[in-house]
Amino acid sequence: MTPAHQKNFHTSNPEEATAINREIPEFAAAQISDEDKYFANHKPPSYLPEIKEELDKFIKYHLENTGKRIALVTSGGTTVPLENNTVRFIDNFSAGTRGATSAEYFLENGYAVIFLHREFSLLPYSRHYSHSTNCFLDYMTEVNGKIEIDPKYSEQMLHVYRKYHEAQDSNSLLLIPYTTVNQYLYTLKLISEELKPCTNKALFYLAAAVSDFFIPQSRMPQHKIQSSAATDGELVIRLAQVPKFLSRLVENWSSGAMIISFKLETDSSILIKKAKSALERYHHQLVIGNLLQTRKKEVVFVDLEHDDHWVRLTDEEVANGKEIESEMIPAVITLHNEWIKKSLA
Ligand code: PAZ
């Protein structure tokens, strides 16, 4: 496993070579071939060949040596840059908790995992000791002028450490970062195409919170927007709709894989309706619905073959540190088993 911070690039840095190309036609919102237009009008990230090489090796290794199923887990929010040399961007709330936690449970259940994540968001295993609520220094203590793990945490840390090493030693976790929505879309397309040889053994678990709107490259200012750009004290920014890539993923980019998307809402009265309409529109296998306010203690599985099924934790289970993903992932795997059986029949 190569930690993201050891890669030769950072997705959070803007591409130096990117200049405004006024030859590129303005991107039109919401038409039939929006997805193809998107790729025709937007440059791929320059580091994509490096990622392709890592993917080739990882997938080949598992196809030829372990026979493991491979889950692609997407995680975290995407940014929408407002300038080419990006000072400002639009972002969202997602810290990557769902994705990083789910990845651990997939690994524990014998899957290899490609973890497509927002750079600097939560990662499997290190998530237990990162970010402000779990500062790693709080787990240390000074003994005779040396720093050690505080004994009260060492048992739990040993448990996480062993699982982390098991994932590393078995080459079961590949970390792939993105920052912007453009990087996410190009990388998702690449990974999907690379996973084709895995057919029904591949599982797409799309938990990332991907922006619905963006600024097309043809309209993006090269440099930092100046305060003088405001008119009557207001800055107006026009955003275009990000094309709905799920139909391309289902129809062209993948081959026989099981595809699971997530639906986040804040209004409980529309959650299941929106999940069902996504299934009808994209013809994939499962939508996992969740509400912003309760996402850590309840989710609903919506598909066209089973009744809607809620996975819930009690308040006591939450207080005892149980993670909802410990129930979600086995349920997902049961559905993946069914999917594989059905596609062999
Ligand atoms: O990253 P997180 O754990 O804070 O949140 C997870 C989530 C709510 C982003 C995810 O469960 C989800 O619903 N993703 C899809 C969001 C959407 O595009 O509707």
Side-chain angles (χ1 to χ4, degrees):
M1 180 173 68
T2 310
H5 61 267
Q6 284 179 14
K7 292 193 190 306
N8 297 324
F9 56 84
H10 273 295
T11 61
S12 49
N13 295 338
E15 299 257 341
E16 279 173 27
T18 311
I20 319 175
N21 181 356
R22 295 291 173 204
E23 307 287 296
I24 297 176
E26 183 137 312
F27 183 78
Q31 285 178 16
I32 292 172
S33 59
D34 282 349
E35 301 86 354
D36 298 333
K37 260 196 194 162
Y38 181 91
F39 289 111
N41 290 338
H42 291 83
K43 287 188 191 154
S46 56
Y47 57 79
L48 220 50
E50 199 177 313
I51 288 186
K52 183 175 178 334
E53 217 172 284
E54 286 186 42
L55 281 166
D56 281 344
K57 274 198 229 146
F58 185 80
I59 294 170
K60 189 163 182 276
Y61 175 78
H62 287 291
L63 277 175
E64 292 178 2
N65 298 289
T66 69
K68 283 186 177 186
R69 297 179 186 176
I70 302 185
L72 166 66
V73 176
T74 71
S75 182
T78 57
T79 69
V80 172
L82 303 186
E83 300 123 348
N84 260 334
N85 291 287
T86 311
V87 175
R88 302 185 186 95
F89 51 85
I90 301 172
D91 203 347
N92 66 52
F93 69 95
S94 172
T97 312
R98 171 86 73 228
T101 312
S102 300
E104 285 183 22
Y105 287 104
F106 276 119
L107 288 159
E108 243 170 69
N109 281 281
Y111 279 64
V113 171
I114 298 172
F115 190 63
L116 176 60
H117 65 283
R118 165 77 175 275
E119 192 169 13
F120 308 127
S121 67
L122 293 174
L123 293 176
Y125 307 114
S126 71
R127 75 181 168 99
H128 298 275
Y129 310 103
S130 59
H131 289 51
S132 53
T133 50
N134 292 333
C135 173
F136 75 97
L137 290 173
D138 293 339
Y139 294 83
M140 311 289 179
T141 186
E142 189 177 330
V143 180
N144 301 330
K146 290 199 175 147
I147 195 154
E148 286 181 5
I149 307 292
D150 188 326
K152 65 176 179 279
Y153 299 117
S154 68
E155 195 182 325
Q156 189 251 3
M157 199 177 268
L158 180 64
H159 184 64
V160 176
Y161 177 87
R162 284 186 177 147
K163 288 199 282 187
Y164 168 70
H165 272 286
E166 161 61 22
Q168 268 197 323
D169 298 345
S170 60
N171 185 30
S172 297
L173 176 59
L174 179 65
L175 302 180
I176 299 188
Y178 65 81
T179 296
T180 68
V181 65
N182 187 55
Q183 292 168 338
Y184 173 85
L185 293 173
Y186 265 103
T187 315
L188 175 65
K189 180 169 185 278
L190 172 69
I191 298 172
S192 314
E193 288 167 349
E194 291 283 314
L195 278 173
K196 274 187 178 175
C198 301
T199 64
N200 58 17
K201 277 182 149 184
L203 176 74
F204 288 69
Y205 182 89
L206 306 173
V210 181
S211 174
D212 287 329
F213 299 97
F214 77 119
I215 301 187
Q217 277 171 7
S218 61
R219 278 199 227 148
M220 186 118 62
Q222 174 78 325
H223 292 292
K224 183 184 164 205
I225 299 172
Q226 298 297 310
S227 53
S228 55
T231 315
D232 296 333
E234 285 182 335
L235 177 69
V236 177
I237 295 172
R238 275 174 58 220
L239 300 176
Q241 209 166 11
V242 173
K244 301 291 182 197
F245 285 90
L246 206 45
S247 52
R248 271 290 180 280
L249 177 63
V250 176
E251 285 161 20
N252 307 107
W253 299 351
S254 66
S255 164
M258 178 169 180
I259 298 176
I260 302 171
S261 71
F262 276 74
K263 174 63 69 189
L264 174 76
E265 292 298 339
T266 54
D267 174 356
S268 60
S269 69
I270 60 170
L271 179 64
I272 292 187
K273 199 171 94 199
K274 294 290 286 285
K276 289 207 161 120
S277 71
L279 280 177
E280 278 153 18
R281 187 166 178 189
Y282 304 119
H283 309 291
H284 59 309
Q285 285 69 53
L286 173 68
V287 176
I288 301 180
N290 53 177
L291 293 166
L292 182 69
Q293 305 86 331
T294 55
R295 67 190 189 281
K296 294 192 179 165
K297 54 183 234 180
E298 60 176 15
V299 300
V300 59
F301 281 36
V302 179
D303 69 35
L304 295 176
E305 291 181 11
H306 304 84
D307 290 338
D308 306 337
H309 165 64
W310 285 91
V311 177
R312 286 197 172 99
L313 295 185
T314 61
D315 290 341
E316 198 188 343
E317 286 172 323
V318 175
N320 289 335
K322 182 164 182 181
E323 296 172 315
I324 194 164
E325 292 78 6
S326 68
E327 303 238 328
M328 290 167 67
I329 301 312
V332 163
I333 293 174
T334 302
L335 294 173
H336 193 198
N337 293 340
E338 279 179 25
W339 172 253
I340 292 175
K341 252 194 217 149
K342 213 163 45 172
S343 49
L344 292 176

